[in-house]
Amino acid sequence: MKAVLSRISAATAVLAFVVTAVPLSAQEKAAAKYVAPRTADNHPDMQGAWARRGVGLQEANAPSTPLGDFGSTGQPYPTVFNTGVFTTQDRSVLQGRPAGVIDPADRVLPWRPEADAARRAFIPKMIPPASLAYVEKAARCVLPGPLEADDRHPYQIIQRPGYFVMMYEYNHVTRVIPTDGRAHVGSNVRLFMGDPVGHWEGETLVVDTTNFNDKTSLGRTVPYHSDALHTVERFTRIDPNVLDYQITIEDPKMFTRPIKIAGTFQAADPKTELMEFACAEGSQVLPNVFGFELAPGRGQASK
Amino acid sequence: MKTRLYLLVAVAALLAFHRPALAHHSFAAEFDANKPVTVNGTVNKMDWVNPHSWIYVDVKGADGTVVTWRFEMGPPNALLRMGWRKDSIPPGTEVKIEGYRAKSGQPVANAKTVTLPDGRELFSGGSTPPGLGEAAAVAKP
Amino acid sequence: MTPKRGPRFKAVLAMFLWVIPAVGQAQTGNIPRGPDGKPDLSGVWQVLNSAAWDLQDHTGALDFPPGQSVVEGGTIPYLPAAAAKQRDNFEHRETDDPAEVTCYLPGVPRATYMPFPFEIIQTPKVIVFSYEFAHARRHVFTDGSPHPAGFPDFWMGDSRGRWEGDTLVVDVTNLDERTWLDRAGNFHSDALHVVERYTPIDASHVMYEATLEDPKVFSRPWKISMPLYRRIDKSVKILEYECVYYLQDKRYGNAKPVGVPQ
């Protein structure tokens, strides 16, 4: 009897050891709050190559647009056009996360009635474009503004003391964001990408961007915005492979209140090198639409 | 190497379900989805130009005249990351291309599929560049 | 010092010896350095010459500032056929300049001496050059990686860098043949190979040199050099010169679409 009991207790002890030695589940790991490594100047390190996901201005009850998506033309969009940027294996931290417009939750955008009417009149004139003003901004290969970069191309973040630099492979866009909370440039300097100023709030980089011009688009159903546009972005590294990203968009001439969008930056292959993406140089959109070349004279050499 | 390429395809398949909020240009402004075209011809040259690769194909008509068609493809960076290189499709290669004709009426089109002589499709998830051998073989997603 | 000197002499000598190192430091010291001891080139830089108009000696004209050649030896050593092409380019520069007229990315080394500032953002593995003109950008990879084989040409080429003492040496290949070297139609082929050298002189000056080699166009390699000046203006930053947008407005602003079924 004693021998049996001692064996049972021994077995229980072993069992107890085995149970307590079982590793934490993914959820339990995530619940133990992740803290990003530090840069030399002791700020959260978000450097690396990333794929941006989920950032877009989806709209419920949007007007139909002849632009549509590539898929709507019947042409398949081959997966390789996603540029081979690949993200991490462990995606558990992404489970249950919202993406896209999260406020308003029903995605009925808070239009000012006159602005809504104006864009509803504008959109049908985009295909075929009634004039250059109606050509979709993305087709012109100009700086994309706060939302419309092509996420089939990777991003790279590098940090230096006092600066957080976001490089887009798409159209070689570079945002050099000072992180000392300095003043914005003067109000008569207007920029496609706006003037960004950042500051750290603990684990989060908050970027306030003003001084936008009115020459970019916010999406296929919001083909333009006003120069009153103002954005606030928040970057937080929540995982070795994920940056939480939020952008709040405010344009009091278009909308009655701000719109909040949630997305992520997901780690791409660490060996990813951003390549040149010279959008304008290779684009034939405007010559095809208008029937003559951008170069004014004898014509450029074609390769 | 093999594992990485399988992962690449798996993720590419996942990415296929992610519709980017926008593509960088409007297909509809330039090309006509109601004007599909298929050509068989030989590759004249391939331009690796951002934002698109272009492939020039010599197509022989019934009367023997040759028309050089120009097909717009996707960004070369995508091809480069998948392992394709500048000389992966040499001039003289026979190809079949299906696409959508330009609204201008020129022999210009947007390529939907580019099929090589052995049946591989250039831009589909299952295609591999020549010369990488067995290690590069990937399953269709 | 064997002869006996008086205390006054020694005092003056001491002061002199104290001053000389300070002067020396102003010339070669105060170069910002990273934690690895290498010079840190980060900051906003710009040239102060008219090489953008013409790399060689050029006389002033309306809207055309004069300048002395930045080419070592004075003239660019063209092969005879190439020299004829350059003259043709020059005659048609008002329509044919790929950067100034068509807003294409300017290539290397032209991007360095465009009349616009550029920013260098230096990290251990990559040094980023962000140019205000057309937001051109290039990455100089300093991680020991080679130029990738079988890649196509890029407007800004492929750049791989290494340090030789305090000099950043950048090897540039894969340069698109369509760029020009200046507004005067100086040009190159797809065989162009550029080696740049960035050598800090002091905290606010870098000597920039570039050796160009292109056996299809030039009879031998040749070199340009010029100082880069740090932009020390308060809150200086790279703004936007969105050349493409301005040009599209000019060319297509009053045009009507064609080829569209009515």
Side-chain angles (χ1 to χ4, degrees):
Chain A
M1 183 60 172
K2 217 177 187 179
V4 170
L5 279 173
S6 69
R7 244 185 238 154
I8 288 173
S9 63
T12 310
V14 167
L15 194 62
F17 174 81
V18 166
V19 165
T20 53
V22 164
L24 293 169
S25 69
Q27 285 87 348
E28 284 165 302
K29 266 192 211 157
K33 196 168 185 301
Y34 169 80
V35 177
R38 266 25 199 175
T39 57
D41 59 339
N42 204 31
H43 289 298
D45 190 334
M46 305 196 202
Q47 298 182 93
W50 304 93
R52 190 178 77 161
R53 294 287 177 254
V55 175
L57 191 56
Q58 301 87 8
E59 185 181 5
N61 309 326
S64 69
T65 160
L67 296 171
D69 202 15
F70 257 114
S72 72
T73 65
Q75 181 199 37
Y77 217 76
T79 58
V80 75
F81 284 13
N82 284 300
T83 69
V85 168
F86 45 103
T87 56
T88 178
Q89 291 88 322
D90 178 6
R91 298 157 79 83
S92 55
V93 72
L94 299 172
Q95 285 166 7
R97 286 181 54 88
V101 173
I102 55 171
D103 180 11
D106 62 1
R107 297 185 169 175
V108 177
L109 299 185
W111 284 99
R112 297 181 68 87
E114 67 278 9
D116 189 18
R119 62 110 184 208
R120 283 173 185 272
F122 185 97
I123 285 171
K125 294 159 130 181
M126 296 179 77
I127 297 290
S131 66
L132 180 66
Y134 293 92
V135 173
E136 181 184 20
K137 287 300 191 301
R140 294 178 60 171
C141 279
V142 289
L143 288 167
L147 293 183
E148 289 225 306
D150 187 337
D151 289 350
R152 290 167 299 161
H153 293 273
Y155 295 76
Q156 187 170 358
I157 291 173
I158 58 180
Q159 290 169 253
R160 282 184 49 82
Y163 292 94
F164 183 93
V165 180
M166 263 187 83
M167 299 189 289
Y168 303 28
E169 178 171 276
Y170 174 68
N171 205 7
H172 45 96
V173 178
T174 307
R175 300 177 69 199
V176 177
I177 302 169
T179 53
D180 57 3
R182 66 181 65 173
H184 285 288
V185 294
S187 62
N188 284 332
V189 176
R190 310 311 293 201
L191 301 161
F192 289 79
M193 301 304 293
D195 177 55
V197 170
H199 68 275
W200 290 99
E201 286 177 10
E203 295 299 305
T204 299
L205 177 71
V206 182
V207 180
D208 185 279
T209 308
T210 59
N211 295 77
F212 285 100
N213 63 23
D214 60 358
K215 301 187 192 326
T216 67
S217 162
L218 295 177
R220 286 200 152 158
T221 59
V222 187
Y224 56 81
H225 59 79
S226 84
D227 61 2
L229 182 66
H230 169 221
T231 69
V232 179
E233 296 158 278
R234 302 178 70 90
F235 298 79
T236 313
R237 191 166 190 172
I238 58 171
D239 184 82
N241 296 306
V242 180
L243 303 183
D244 177 284
Y245 176 76
Q246 284 183 36
I247 178 168
T248 302
I249 293 192
E250 192 176 31
D251 186 338
K253 293 187 188 171
M254 308 269 283
F255 303 110
T256 55
R257 59 186 178 77
I259 297 162
K260 197 187 276 190
I261 294 168
T264 52
F265 285 83
Q266 300 175 20
D269 185 318
K271 290 203 288 299
T272 300
E273 284 182 358
L274 260 55
M275 290 187 232
E276 178 175 284
F277 183 80
C279 194
E281 286 68 9
S283 174
Q284 285 292 298
V285 175
L286 293 182
N288 285 341
V289 167
F290 291 102
F292 59 91
E293 293 296 321
L294 183 69
R298 294 198 294 181
Q300 66 272 24
S302 57
K303 270 188 96 142
Chain B
M1 183 66 164
K2 213 183 244 187
T3 318
R4 159 144 340 146
L5 283 162
Y6 284 132
L7 173 65
L8 171 62
V9 170
V11 173
L14 279 165
L15 292 174
F17 292 102
H18 163 78
R19 280 276 182 247
L22 119 124
H24 78 266
H25 84 269
S26 173
F27 168 94
E30 285 182 82
F31 300 100
D32 191 339
N34 296 317
K35 295 217 170 92
V37 63
T38 301
V39 307
N40 287 284
T42 54
V43 173
N44 182 313
K45 64 169 170 166
M46 196 164 144
D47 272 355
W48 290 75
V49 181
N50 279 297
H52 301 288
S53 324
W54 290 84
I55 192 164
Y56 294 74
V57 178
D58 290 333
V59 180
K60 198 181 257 189
D63 59 356
T65 56
V66 173
V67 174
T68 302
W69 276 76
R70 192 163 63 118
F71 284 90
E72 181 188 83
M73 302 190 292
N77 300 5
L79 294 175
L80 292 170
R81 292 204 167 97
M82 291 286 281
W84 291 86
R85 293 294 178 260
K86 218 165 44 164
D87 51 6
S88 294
I89 307 184
T93 306
E94 297 198 6
V95 291
K96 179 175 99 163
I97 305 187
E98 296 166 53
Y100 297 96
R101 198 153 181 165
K103 286 181 172 172
S104 66
Q106 299 290 306
V108 175
N110 187 288
K112 185 170 96 164
T113 58
V114 178
T115 309
L116 298 174
D118 60 8
R120 281 178 300 143
E121 282 182 11
L122 181 56
F123 280 95
S124 79
S127 74
T128 55
L132 289 193
E134 272 231 329
V138 291
K140 272 190 192 283
Chain C
M1 262 200 297
T2 30
K4 238 182 164 201
R5 303 287 182 186
R8 197 177 296 159
F9 176 84
K10 281 185 183 146
V12 170
L13 183 63
M15 258 178 16
F16 195 55
L17 290 171
W18 179 80
V19 165
I20 285 180
V23 168
Q25 263 173 19
Q27 287 167 350
T28 61
N30 299 327
I31 293 169
R33 292 180 185 274
D36 58 358
K38 297 280 174 246
D40 187 338
L41 301 172
S42 298
V44 180
W45 301 88
Q46 193 165 353
V47 303
L48 277 176
N49 58 32
S50 61
W53 280 261
D54 192 335
L55 288 173
Q56 300 175 118
D57 286 335
H58 50 283
T59 305
L62 209 56
D63 293 324
F64 199 90
Q68 298 186 69
S69 181
V70 297
V71 177
E72 199 171 86
T75 54
I76 298 171
Y78 280 107
L79 293 167
K85 169 113 181 73
Q86 184 274 323
R87 282 191 297 275
D88 182 70
N89 285 349
F90 181 81
E91 272 153 42
H92 296 94
R93 62 193 185 280
E94 305 284 319
T95 54
D96 286 8
D97 186 330
E100 291 288 350
V101 173
T102 315
C103 293
Y104 287 161
L105 295 172
V108 177
R110 187 177 187 180
T112 308
Y113 44 85
M114 295 289 281
F116 295 85
F118 60 92
E119 183 157 17
I120 297 177
I121 305 151
Q122 181 167 327
T123 71
K125 294 230 165 78
V126 65
I127 302 178
V128 177
F129 285 69
S130 171
Y131 302 89
E132 189 171 88
F133 179 84
H135 55 98
R137 182 179 73 210
R138 47 179 190 133
H139 300 96
V140 174
F141 298 100
T142 49
D143 59 356
S145 54
H147 297 292
F151 266 36
D153 289 343
F154 298 112
W155 292 82
M156 301 301 289
D158 183 88
S159 298
R160 307 280 155 175
R162 68 182 192 279
W163 290 93
E164 285 179 7
D166 277 358
T167 297
L168 176 68
V169 181
V170 183
D171 194 283
V172 192
T173 59
N174 295 75
L175 285 159
D176 195 297
E177 66 184 357
R178 287 171 285 183
T179 64
W180 280 7
L181 300 174
D182 58 23
R183 294 191 201 189
N186 287 304
F187 74 106
H188 62 88
S189 80
D190 60 2
L192 180 64
H193 173 214
V194 179
V195 180
E196 300 172 295
R197 301 176 69 87
Y198 296 81
T199 307
I201 303 167
D202 60 34
S204 295
H205 303 83
V206 167
M207 184 52 79
Y208 174 77
E209 300 162 287
T211 302
L212 288 80
E213 184 186 342
D214 186 338
K216 293 189 195 176
V217 175
F218 312 117
S219 59
R220 57 168 174 80
W222 52 282
K223 193 172 135 185
I224 59 173
S225 68
M226 62 190 76
L228 307 178
Y229 296 83
R230 184 186 290 278
R231 291 287 305 268
I232 60 172
D233 322 45
K234 183 167 174 265
S235 299
V236 67
K237 64 187 301 173
I238 299 300
L239 298 174
E240 292 170 355
Y241 185 75
E242 194 61 346
C243 193
V244 165
Y245 192 92
Y246 316 144
L247 181 65
Q248 289 169 353
D249 268 356
K250 181 174 164 187
R251 291 283 286 161
Y252 300 115
N254 295 320
K256 285 282 169 243
V258 299
V260 164
Q262 297 303 317

